[in-house]
């Protein structure tokens, strides 16, 4: 064999060997294990968050409104006057009719409310004076400060021979409750008590009104 032909055969063998080494085998083509691995694609650049996707700012808590001062009743803790709170006197105002001015004075250190009419009894006689006129409601009741006085009028009647004379009266306060009170006594010499003729006015804050109602 000539040198030229020998060289051509060697060259062909080398080329065939090179192709075998570089190209995939049938086994490689069937399974992806030895195949070329695709290079990973670059991840897309994340889009800028939209306005709606931005984290919302936590709103500041609203300031609570300042509580308004409620209008409180200045008499909410002022209790009705009882005989334990006052001292009591009776003064003859009209001898002809045996009418008396009744007076109470707050002897305590706190104000109290003077409610309704005084409850007046006559010595050892049964019954009591009837109420004369209408008393103000509890909202308009007298607030009796320490040392201050309230008045009522005990109206009598002419001696008609049907009644009796007494020398004292007893008085308790209207407290609109079942509070037990000790009756306060006052001297009333020669007070004539006639059936249905003796009446008493509601408490007022001045003596003149007490005797004219």
């Amino acid at each position: 064999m000539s040198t030229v032909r020998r060289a051509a055969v060697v060259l062909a063998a080398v080329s065939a060997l090179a192709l075998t080494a570089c190209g995939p085998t049938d086994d490689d083509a069937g399974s992806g294990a030895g195949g070329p691995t695709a290079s990973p694609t670059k991840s897309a650049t994340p889009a800028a968050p939209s306005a709606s996707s931005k984290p919302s700012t936590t709103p500041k808590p609203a300031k609570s409104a300042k509580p308004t001062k409620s209008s409180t009743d200045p008499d909410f803790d002022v209790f009705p006057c009882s005989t334990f709170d006052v001292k009591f006197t009776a003064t003859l105002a009209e001898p002809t009719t045996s009418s008396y001015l009744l007076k109470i004075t707050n002897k305590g250190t706190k104000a109290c409310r003077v409610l309704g009419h005084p409850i007046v009894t006559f010595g050892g006689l049964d019954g009591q004076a009837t109420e004369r006129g209408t008393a103000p409601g509890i909202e308009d009741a007298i607030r009796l400060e320490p040392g201050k006085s309230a008045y009522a009028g005990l109206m009598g009647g002419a001696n008609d021979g049907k009644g009796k004379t007494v020398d004292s009266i007893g008085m308790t306060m209207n407290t609109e409750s079942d509070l037990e009170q000790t009756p306060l006594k006052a001297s009333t010499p020669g007070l004539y008590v006639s059936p249905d003729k003796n009446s008493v006015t509601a408490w007022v804050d001045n003596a003149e009104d007490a005797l004219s109602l």
Side-chain angles (χ1 to χ4, degrees):
M1 179 179 298
S2 64
T3 302
V4 174
R5 188 175 179 184
R6 186 179 297 165
V9 172
V10 173
L11 181 59
V14 171
S15 298
L17 182 61
L19 290 172
T20 301
C22 295
T25 63
D26 292 340
D27 291 340
D28 292 340
S31 65
T37 304
S39 61
T41 58
K42 293 182 179 180
S43 59
T45 303
S50 62
S52 61
S53 65
K54 289 182 179 179
S56 58
T57 303
T58 304
K60 295 181 180 180
K63 293 182 179 180
S64 58
K66 292 182 179 179
T68 56
K69 292 182 179 180
S70 58
S71 56
T72 55
D73 180 0
D75 291 337
F76 77 99
D77 61 345
V78 178
F79 296 97
C81 300
S82 76
T83 54
F84 301 104
D85 303 311
V86 300
K87 58 184 180 180
F88 170 61
T89 61
T91 305
L92 182 63
E94 177 53 60
T96 305
T97 58
S98 293
S99 294
Y100 279 80
L101 175 67
L102 309 183
K103 177 182 176 182
I104 55 171
T105 303
N106 186 348
K107 66 179 183 179
T109 58
K110 291 184 177 181
C112 60
R113 292 177 188 263
V114 182
L115 303 182
H117 297 70
I119 301 168
V120 177
T121 54
F122 303 102
L125 301 180
D126 293 334
Q128 62 190 49
T130 59
E131 294 182 354
R132 183 187 186 97
T134 303
I138 190 169
E139 299 84 1
D140 300 317
I142 298 171
R143 178 188 174 106
L144 198 63
E145 299 291 345
K148 298 297 182 180
S149 300
Y151 306 86
L154 176 62
M155 309 304 179
N159 189 337
D160 56 6
K162 298 179 181 180
K164 293 182 179 181
T165 301
V166 296
D167 293 330
S168 67
I169 59 173
M171 189 278 298
T172 55
M173 301 291 292
N174 180 355
T175 61
E176 294 189 352
S177 73
D178 295 330
L179 174 68
E180 186 175 351
Q181 303 177 69
T182 301
L184 300 179
K185 299 289 183 71
S187 177
T188 55
L191 172 62
Y192 184 75
V193 182
S194 179
D196 303 324
K197 294 290 180 68
N198 299 85
S199 60
V200 64
T201 67
W203 294 111
V204 292
D205 57 6
N206 66 88
E208 185 177 352
D209 286 348
L211 294 170
S212 61
L213 294 176

